[in-house]
Amino acid sequence: MREEEYEVLYRMEDEHWWYLGHRSLYARLLDRHCPRAARGRVLDAGCGTGGLTAWLRDRYRPRRLVALDASRAALARCGERGLEELLCCSVEYLPFPEASFDLVLSLNVIYHRDVSDDLAALREMARVLSPGGYLLLNLPALPCLRGGHDLAVGGARRYKRSRFLEMLAAAGLRPVKVTYFVFTPLPAVASRRLLTRGVPEEEAASDLRLPPRILNRALTRLLELEARAACGPGLPLGSSLTALARRPASPGLEGVSRG
């Protein structure tokens, strides 16, 4: 991600409708399925500028909270939020023993072009989970939505639900809930992405702009309502794919070793 995008992210992720809506979904999933894990040993694998990590710290008060990112500029912003256990490294090789965490979060990370092997990264996250531990994963959805935004933020991949499920299985994880998200605004998102498709990378710009306050509130509320449906029957399409998955409690989990 470009350095200027980290500054934009830092300023917006605590008030922009997209981030607030996703937090509503994450809270519902964690509260319903694994509140104890969220209060235990938690790793945010690809924390960015730390807005979500700080939100989780304040909401769940985990016993241990580790945030890592490959960008030192992003981690500097995490320090400004008062996050303490910070680590600069790649999500493809996590410097922790097996079964170190009860919950791992990786939100819009392994799609990035700096992650050369998304499945290897997912297997690493599974490896550091304790038996019975949970992974909360969010990724950009639908390859047809690729546009200038993806170029600006360094996105290399977008995912379909079928591929999403294949990757979870290959990493030895069992899905608890898998759903699309950001369904209602999808026509507007698709139109924007189509208009910016084919722009040169140096001219590409992200979609991260704060709309007028009344519109931002309305979109936030819309995604809060979507979160209810996503945690129930699920949503048929959306610009995001979200999964809560679990490492089986039995020993000998296949697919989680580095080799």
Side-chain angles (χ1 to χ4, degrees), residues 4 25 27 29 31 49 76 80 87 120 131 134 141-142 146 165 177 185-186 196 210 212 222 224 242 254 256:
E4 60 267 25
L25 175 60
L29 289 170
D31 290 351
T49 58
E80 293 177 17
L87 187 63
Y134 291 85
L142 306 178
R146 183 166 176 82
L165 291 169
K177 184 67 183 180
L186 188 58
T196 61
L210 194 64
L222 188 63
E224 288 172 351
T242 305
E254 295 181 359
V256 300

Side-chain angles (χ1 to χ4, degrees), residues 221-245:
R221 179 57 178 159
L222 188 63
L223 289 197
E224 288 172 351
L225 294 173
E226 273 198 22
R228 295 184 183 182
C231 290
L235 296 168
L237 284 174
S239 63
S240 289
L241 261 170
T242 305
L244 183 68

Side-chain angles (χ1 to χ4, degrees), residues 2 7 20 51 61 115 135 160 165 185 207 217 250:
R2 299 169 182 167
E7 178 61 29
L20 298 181
R61 302 292 179 183
V115 178
L135 170 70
K160 294 182 179 179
L165 291 169
D207 294 344
R217 287 178 178 173
S250 58

Side-chain angles (χ1 to χ4, degrees), residues 127-207:
R127 182 186 64 80
V128 302
L129 276 175
S130 61
Y134 291 85
L135 170 70
L136 180 61
L137 184 69
N138 196 81
L139 289 170
L142 306 178
C144 64
L145 293 181
R146 183 166 176 82
H149 172 82
D150 299 82
L151 292 176
V153 301
R157 298 169 282 269
R158 301 186 74 92
Y159 298 81
K160 294 182 179 179
R161 180 186 174 95
S162 57
R163 173 60 179 158
F164 205 52
L165 291 169
E166 288 171 0
M167 290 174 62
L168 291 175
L173 296 165
R174 296 177 181 173
V176 176
K177 184 67 183 180
V178 177
T179 182
Y180 285 102
F181 193 55
V182 194
F183 169 66
T184 316
L186 188 58
V189 173
S191 298
R192 167 70 178 170
R193 300 298 166 80
L194 287 172
L195 287 172
T196 61
R197 186 173 295 171
V199 300
E201 183 172 354
E202 61 273 11
E203 297 177 14
S206 80
D207 294 344

Side-chain angles (χ1 to χ4, degrees), residues 111-134:
Y111 79 105
H112 200 274
R113 64 187 175 197
D114 288 342
V115 178
S116 60
D117 189 334
D118 52 356
L119 181 54
L122 199 57
R123 283 177 168 152
E124 271 291 85
M125 295 172 201
R127 182 186 64 80
V128 302
L129 276 175
S130 61
Y134 291 85

